[in-house]
Amino acid sequence: WSPDGTKLASASYDKTVKIWNAVTGELILTLEGHSYAVTCVVWSPDGTKLASGSGSPFGGHQLFIWDAQTGQKILELKGHAATVQSVVWSPDG
């Protein structure tokens, strides 16, 4: 859930992150850029960003930071040797 409780983000094996209206169920945005199944997604404490992780048994482990309003990829954090299975933000951002 977004910090304000109005949106929900989902991670999918279709290599996308989707942002949904939590009240109506309407799809708001689809974030594309992962090369493998997305295994985790989390909102930043201020609700302006999302972090998502992915991976494959064959390599290609990815961690992305996204702008939650526009769906633009802001940053790719490299260096994982295995699938990114969990990601959290510091409570102070």
Side-chain angles (χ1 to χ4, degrees):
W1 295 89
S2 61
D4 66 5
T6 63
K7 298 178 193 86
L8 180 68
S10 61
S12 177
Y13 271 57
D14 71 0
K15 307 175 192 171
T16 68
V17 171
K18 295 189 184 290
I19 300 175
W20 307 88
N21 181 308
V23 175
T24 66
E26 178 182 355
L27 177 62
I28 298 170
L29 276 175
T30 299
L31 311 180
E32 297 179 298
H34 282 281
S35 301
Y36 304 97
V38 182
T39 53
C40 55
V41 63
V42 65
W43 291 90
S44 64
D46 65 4
T48 63
K49 297 176 187 70
L50 289 162
S52 62
S54 67
S56 162
F58 310 107
H61 319 296
Q62 299 171 308
L63 178 59
F64 293 153
I65 307 298
W66 306 88
D67 182 302
Q69 285 291 104
T70 66
Q72 295 283 359
K73 186 173 21 172
I74 297 170
L75 181 65
E76 180 176 1
L77 302 167
K78 298 181 181 184
H80 287 279
T83 298
V84 179
Q85 295 181 342
S86 180
V87 61
V88 297
W89 292 88
S90 167
D92 62 3

